[in-house]
Amino acid sequence: MHTPDIKDLLLPSASKLKDALALIDKNAQGICFITTTGNKLAGILTDGDIRRCILNGTTLDVSVEKVMQTKFTALPVTTPQDVIQSKLSHEIRHIPLVDEQGAIVDYACFSRMHRTPIMQPLLNGNELAYLSDCIKTGWISSQGAYVKRFEKEFAEYCGAQYPVAVSNGTVALHLALAAFDIKAGDEVIVPDLTFAASINAIIYTGATPVLVDIDRTTWTLSVVDIEKNITSRTKAIMPVHLYGHASHMDEIMALAKKHNLLVIEDAAEAIGGKYKGKHVGGFGDAATFSFFGNKTITTGEGGMVFFKDKKAYEKAIVLRDHGMSKEKKYWHDLVGFNYRMTNMQAAIGCAQLERIDEFVEAKKKLAAFYDKILAETGQFILPPQESWAVNGYWLYTAVLKESATISRDTLMEKMLKNGVETRPAFYPLHQMPPYKNYPTKSTFQNSLYVSAQGISFPSSVNITQEELDNIAHALHAIFQNHHISA
Ligand SMILES: Cc1ncc(COP(=O)(O)O)c(C=O)c1O
């Protein structure tokens, strides 16, 4: 159940205004239906009505019958869905549904008719045409023109070189580490707050991941903490451009140079993100991307690695294809993998790339919208936006202030009741069973904080104005409600 049941909205007419207030606070719908004997609908009362009563000096002990609205829209429960939907608007957000006797039996509201997903892909460009081309020509595996084209065009977009398209963003990381022969006995520094794929890829190589805290301003690797954790075994640093914001690349590259370390950027979440005017993914010795269905551009499943160095690139090409010699077919010089991207994935990717500027722009606009409505509530710390970076805003994520009037999880529940999916920030890696025994000198206060209070909002590039209005209204109602009852 994602919206409250009808019984959570019903209030007997003998109740007082304060009972209505308590019910509305609980159901988070901003409304209750006043009933008489036999559940007959007598009136409605909204949070706005209650606010007006309070401002007029009406006491909370007044009977709801005295203040309820008696003119309202109600429909027979047998009304077709499309008719009900056509009656819902931002003025009429809830419609009671009544039986033949006038008894209320259900209700309709925007969130019951529709759920705004946290993310969905937009595939209405040339995706289908290019995919059909693969099927018609039979080029459905990893041979075929789209793979090369996708590699070339995405590398051009990012201003990077030596691209290797692979089957997902996790193997992109593993392939990058393997190409540099990272192995057991080596240590790789990785942030505590990231998706598990970052650390898993390190573990696949046999190397030891060393978890390091993030900083409070960018939610990416803390440079001070990296230095604290460098040992004689450290071989690489893996900055993750979390939620689209770039890591401190100059400082990280300087540390890497000083200690002779590799840098592998995990840019899975940062398509379109920039550091000092240049796209992320062009700084480290290697950089990886993901094109999973929820990413800024998608290939369904898919990933890419960029290399700075031709030798590592050539090794990665061999490793991607079972370690098979390029000169002598079916001769294996190395233990490789099958990490190839299919022509069909790349075909979708080429179509997505044609619209990448439009998608990145849409993410920025969405972020500006959220910045505004979240700032109005006064309850959030907005996502990182350093002057030297352009946030790619893959998934708009803010931090609920510790002083906020409700908890992060209650907010998520209430948003869902209003038909809006949200997502908690990642869990700190160091707290989860597979990762908790690795060595570290970090105390993780920042990752603990962002993880506990972080919340992501729907960030699809094709989110509608109506959905945005609903999100704004829901946030407003949730926090206003809370002020009244606090
Ligand atoms: C930071 C980060 N790294 C790596 C990955 C792995 O990518 P994939 O899901 O394509 O394997 C993801 C997300 O999916 C991610 O968010």
Side-chain angles (χ1 to χ4, degrees):
M1 189 190 81
H2 300 301
T3 49
D5 220 64
I6 179 64
K7 68 175 170 25
D8 299 322
L9 275 75
L10 298 184
L11 193 71
S13 55
S15 312
K16 298 189 165 145
L17 193 56
K18 66 177 173 211
D19 302 320
L21 192 54
L23 187 71
I24 290 179
D25 188 49
K26 205 158 155 232
N27 69 30
Q29 293 298 298
I31 195 165
C32 63
F33 303 130
I34 316 297
T35 56
T36 54
T37 341
N39 262 358
K40 291 256 171 57
L41 185 60
I44 66 166
L45 202 55
T46 68
D47 52 358
D49 298 331
I50 298 176
R51 242 190 335 272
R52 279 183 287 279
C53 285
I54 293 170
L55 288 172
N56 290 339
T58 310
T59 129
L60 288 177
D61 281 323
V62 73
S63 156
V64 287
E65 279 186 307
K66 289 242 163 66
V67 290
M68 69 188 183
Q69 298 182 45
T70 48
K71 279 194 187 145
F72 51 83
T73 304
L75 290 172
V77 69
T78 48
T79 312
Q81 287 283 300
D82 56 336
V83 177
I84 297 176
Q85 195 145 12
S86 70
K87 301 272 181 210
L88 285 169
S89 67
H90 287 288
E91 284 73 50
I92 303 174
R93 304 176 58 80
H94 296 80
I95 299 178
L97 303 173
V98 293
D99 66 13
E100 281 173 4
Q101 283 73 45
I104 180 163
V105 288
D106 205 354
Y107 73 103
C109 65
F110 187 70
S111 56
R112 285 194 148 193
M113 315 295 285
H114 178 81
R115 167 107 70 92
T116 303
I118 189 85
M119 198 81 86
Q120 65 184 0
L122 180 59
L123 300 163
N124 60 354
N126 282 323
E127 288 80 359
L128 191 57
Y130 295 170
L131 207 45
S132 304
D133 183 37
C134 297
I135 291 168
K136 281 184 201 148
T137 59
W139 292 106
I140 58 168
S141 292
S142 49
Q143 305 286 313
Y146 286 114
V147 178
K148 282 261 161 278
R149 175 172 152 193
F150 184 52
E151 287 178 334
K152 179 173 170 289
E153 290 181 358
F154 189 61
E156 275 167 10
Y157 172 79
C158 295
Q161 49 185 347
Y162 298 127
V164 185
V166 291
S167 38
N168 60 63
T170 308
V171 303
L173 283 165
H174 183 217
L175 187 66
L177 293 162
F180 290 114
D181 200 26
I182 304 274
K183 56 182 180 305
D186 297 338
E187 288 179 358
V188 179
I189 287 175
V190 62
D192 189 43
L193 197 74
T194 176
F195 181 56
S198 315
I199 190 169
N200 285 345
I202 298 167
I203 297 169
Y204 301 160
T205 66
T208 303
V210 176
L211 289 166
V212 160
D213 203 3
I214 53 166
D215 71 39
R216 278 253 182 165
T217 49
T218 64
W219 308 350
T220 65
L221 273 178
S222 151
V223 176
V224 176
D225 250 38
I226 297 176
E227 195 147 28
K228 263 203 312 213
N229 280 284
I230 292 174
T231 71
S232 57
R233 287 181 298 280
T234 310
K235 280 279 146 52
I237 305 172
M238 184 188 286
V240 179
H241 307 306
L242 199 73
Y243 298 124
H245 195 284
S247 309
H248 299 270
M249 290 315 297
D250 280 352
E251 292 84 348
I252 291 171
M253 295 311 291
L255 266 185
K257 195 165 171 208
K258 182 170 155 199
H259 296 275
N260 194 24
L261 308 175
L262 293 158
V263 174
I264 293 161
E265 292 174 70
D266 181 346
E269 302 179 359
I271 294 169
K274 289 185 179 171
Y275 176 79
K276 296 191 177 171
K278 280 172 62 184
H279 279 279
V280 296
F283 295 89
D285 300 279
T288 67
F289 287 85
S290 163
F291 308 114
F292 181 63
N294 68 6
K295 294 300 185 292
T296 301
I297 64 163
T298 185
T299 58
E301 295 277 0
M304 196 165 316
V305 194
F306 295 138
F307 289 94
K308 251 195 196 147
D309 166 47
K310 191 166 181 213
K311 238 174 93 194
Y313 162 75
E314 282 175 345
K315 185 168 172 195
I317 294 280
V318 172
L319 284 174
R320 174 176 66 172
D321 192 13
H322 301 283
M324 200 188 300
S325 162
K326 281 206 284 189
E327 284 76 42
K328 202 165 150 185
K329 277 269 164 211
Y330 301 101
W331 179 264
H332 297 259
D333 293 312
L334 297 163
V335 177
F337 323 103
N338 178 356
Y339 283 172
R340 297 178 307 245
M341 175 181 270
T342 68
N343 202 42
M344 293 189 292
Q345 288 169 288
I348 296 172
C350 287
Q352 291 270 293
L353 259 179
E354 290 169 353
R355 302 174 71 184
I356 194 163
D357 291 335
E358 178 195 333
F359 289 179
V360 171
E361 205 41 50
K363 297 267 185 193
K364 279 192 202 147
K365 276 208 180 122
L366 195 55
F369 164 84
Y370 280 126
D371 278 354
K372 183 167 174 293
I373 58 164
L374 295 194
E376 277 167 9
T377 69
Q379 310 255 349
F380 294 91
I381 296 163
L382 301 181
Q385 184 48 82
E386 293 289 301
S387 57
W388 42 260
V390 175
N391 194 332
Y393 289 116
W394 161 60
L395 180 63
Y396 185 95
T397 305
V399 163
L400 190 64
K401 289 181 185 167
E402 278 168 320
S403 60
T405 46
I406 55 172
S407 74
R408 192 268 315 267
D409 292 354
T410 306
L411 173 60
M412 291 181 59
E413 257 169 51
K414 291 195 178 209
M415 290 302 285
L416 198 54
K417 282 181 179 167
N418 282 280
V420 182
E421 280 182 9
T422 55
R423 213 173 96 164
F426 296 117
Y427 290 105
L429 290 172
H430 79 272
Q431 288 190 328
M432 292 186 272
Y435 315 120
K436 64 180 180 201
N437 293 324
Y438 288 115
T440 180
K441 295 195 178 77
S442 293
T443 52
F444 306 118
Q445 62 218 31
N446 296 331
S447 70
L448 285 165
Y449 171 69
V450 175
S451 171
Q453 297 295 110
I455 172 167
S456 306
F457 291 91
S459 300
S460 309
V461 295
N462 55 347
I463 194 164
T464 65
Q465 189 56 47
E466 197 176 28
E467 288 176 308
L468 292 177
D469 289 345
N470 181 51
I471 292 169
H473 186 279
L475 276 166
H476 229 238
I478 289 165
F479 287 111
Q480 285 218 344
N481 249 356
H482 211 84
H483 285 314
I484 295 171
S485 59

